[in-house]
Amino acid sequence: MEYKSVAINPKISLVANSTGSGQNYISSWDESVGIEGFETVYWTYTITSAAQYYKLTKVCGQWVSHDGSITLSNRTNIIKVMGGADTSSVNRLYTYHPTSSKFTTTLTSTPQFKYGDGGITIMNSKMNITLTRGGTKWSFAMIVIGVLFSD
C-alpha cells in the first residue's frame, strides 16, 4: 500500500482571525504498473485568537488504466475522521463506492476539530480497487493523510 502524509504543526505562527484551506496529494502505481492512482484531500481551517479548527471538506480520486488487459472493479473510498478529547471523541468512517474511475466526494457532515482538545486528530482517505488480469486478482490501495496532529 502506498501512502503519503503531512503533519500540520499547530504551534507554528498562524495569523489570528483568519481562515483558509489546504490539500494533500498522492499518486502511485499498482504492482503491475498498469494502473495509476491519484488522490487529493482538501480541508479548511479557522484560526481565532483562542483556538485553531480543522475540517475535512472534499476528496477527489482517480484510477487511470495504462493496460487494457486489466479489469477494474470493487472501487472503494473510505474516509476517516478521528479526534477530540476522551469525553467528546469522534471516530467516524465514511464509505463510498464510486461507480466510475474518477470521483469527487464533497463532505458536508464531517466534524470540525479543535487543536488542543487532547489526543490525536487524523483526517485521511483510502482508495482501494480490485484489479483482474486473466484469472489473477490483486488489490491496489492508497492512503493520503490530510491533517494529523497530536496535542
Side-chain angles (χ1 to χ4, degrees):
M1 178 174 353
E2 297 291 327
Y3 69 93
K4 181 178 181 182
S5 66
V6 61
I8 294 194
N9 181 352
K11 296 178 183 175
I12 62 175
S13 297
L14 296 171
V15 178
N17 302 315
S18 65
T19 60
S21 61
Q23 67 186 50
N24 198 17
Y25 166 83
I26 185 173
S27 65
S28 186
W29 293 84
D30 79 299
E31 62 190 53
S32 76
V33 194
I35 305 297
E36 189 175 14
F38 303 91
E39 187 175 19
T40 307
V41 293
Y42 299 85
W43 67 88
T44 58
Y45 65 86
T46 302
I47 310 299
T48 69
S49 60
Q52 300 173 30
Y53 301 92
Y54 298 88
K55 180 177 178 170
L56 196 64
T57 57
K58 183 170 67 171
V59 175
C60 298
Q62 182 175 11
W63 295 278
V64 177
S65 177
H66 298 278
D67 183 339
S69 68
I70 298 175
T71 303
L72 290 72
S73 61
N74 300 325
R75 297 170 182 89
T76 306
N77 178 225
I78 300 172
I79 298 163
K80 180 174 187 168
V81 292
M82 179 183 82
D86 292 339
T87 57
S88 62
S89 62
V90 172
N91 188 354
R92 293 187 191 160
L93 291 177
Y94 302 87
T95 302
Y96 301 93
H97 299 282
T99 56
S100 69
S101 291
K102 185 175 183 179
F103 67 90
T104 297
T105 303
T106 302
L107 305 164
T108 57
S109 62
T110 55
Q112 175 175 271
F113 292 100
K114 176 184 175 185
Y115 173 74
D117 274 353
I120 295 173
T121 295
I122 186 167
M123 296 179 239
N124 68 19
S125 175
K126 176 183 178 182
M127 287 180 14
N128 192 50
I129 193 165
T130 301
L131 306 174
T132 307
R133 181 190 293 131
T136 305
K137 287 187 177 188
W138 66 99
S139 291
F140 175 33
M142 298 170 33
I143 295 176
V144 62
I145 296 175
V147 175
L148 170 64
F149 54 79
S150 175
D151 51 277

